[in-house]
Amino acid sequence: MKKLLFLGLAIVLSMAACQQQEKRYTQQSPEINSFKEGIAAYENRDWEALASHYADTAKIMYNVVEEDGKTLAQLMAMHKEDATIFSDWKYVGDESEYEMVVTDKGKTYVNFWGLWKGTLAATNKTYTIPTHITAQFVDGKIVKEFGYWDLSKIMLDMQAQQEADNSSAEASEMDGATTPEVAGEQ
C-alpha cells in the first residue's frame, strides 16, 4: 500500500513540475510583439522608436561576425544613410514569420524570417531580399542582434550605376576640353 501511495505522489509531483515548466518555444510573446514594433518603426523610418527596443549596450551583427558588430548609434546612423539611398522599403507582411525560443541556458531569442522589399532611389528598381534576423532579449530589450541577407544584387547595380555616372562625367569633361583655340591649332 505504501508503494502505491508513493507511486501516486511521484506521478502527481512530476505532473506539477511539467506544468510549471516555462515555454521554450512560442509564436506569441511580449518579445515578439516588441520585435514587430521595431520592424514597424524601421519601415516608418522612426529611428527613435526603433532605438527604444534595444538596450543601450546592444551589439548588432548584420552579415558580420560578432567582433565586427556595431553599436546602437552606428546602427541608427547606418539606417539613416540607407534611407537616403532607398525611396521606400518594407517587409512583405504575409511573408513574415516570428518565433521565440528559450535555450537550455535560459537565453531568450526571437527569430524572424521575412522578405524585405525596397526601391533604390537612383534607379527606381525594386529589390526583394529574403532576410533572417535573430535577436537576443534581456529584460524586454534587444542586447544582441544577428542579421543575414544577400545584398549582392543591390551592390552590383549600385556599382554599375556609379561606373555609368563616372563614364558620363568623363565624356562631359572630354567634350568640354575642346576649346576654339585648341581646335584652331590643329
Side-chain angles (χ1 to χ4, degrees), residues 18-136:
C18 288
Q19 290 175 349
Q20 292 175 356
Q21 187 178 26
E22 183 182 336
K23 279 187 176 180
R24 295 203 41 203
Y25 171 87
T26 185
Q27 289 188 302
Q28 297 175 351
S29 71
E31 292 85 357
I32 289 173
N33 292 339
S34 175
F35 196 85
K36 287 179 178 181
E37 290 168 6
I39 292 284
Y42 167 79
E43 291 176 330
N44 294 322
R45 301 174 186 213
D46 185 346
W47 311 126
E48 188 175 322
L50 177 59
S52 73
H53 295 279
Y54 291 82
D56 293 338
T57 57
K59 195 163 188 182
I60 296 93
M61 285 67 59
Y62 289 166
N63 290 317
V64 297
V65 294
E66 194 163 347
E67 64 193 32
D68 296 330
K70 296 185 182 314
T71 65
L72 180 57
Q74 290 170 322
L75 174 67
M76 293 303 118
M78 180 185 77
H79 284 328
K80 289 175 185 177
E81 182 181 340
D82 288 348
T84 66
I85 297 170
F86 290 90
S87 58
D88 63 60
W89 62 42
K90 67 177 180 174
Y91 282 96
V92 179
D94 59 347
E95 295 292 331
S96 297
E97 289 291 333
Y98 303 84
E99 70 175 15
M100 188 190 85
V101 296
V102 178
T103 68
D104 291 344
K105 295 181 180 180
K107 293 182 179 181
T108 301
Y109 290 91
V110 170
N111 294 308
F112 167 76
W113 294 267
L115 285 178
W116 179 91
K117 191 172 186 176
T119 303
L120 191 61
T123 62
N124 207 31
K125 184 174 179 180
T126 299
Y127 299 86
T128 303
I129 299 174
T131 303
H132 172 71
I133 301 172
T134 295
Q136 182 184 0

Side-chain angles (χ1 to χ4, degrees), residues 6 26 42 51 99 103 115 121 127 146 155-156 161 173 178:
F6 283 123
T26 185
Y42 167 79
E99 70 175 15
T103 68
L115 285 178
Y127 299 86
F146 301 87
M155 299 306 289
L156 287 170
Q161 181 68 40
E173 286 177 16
T178 307

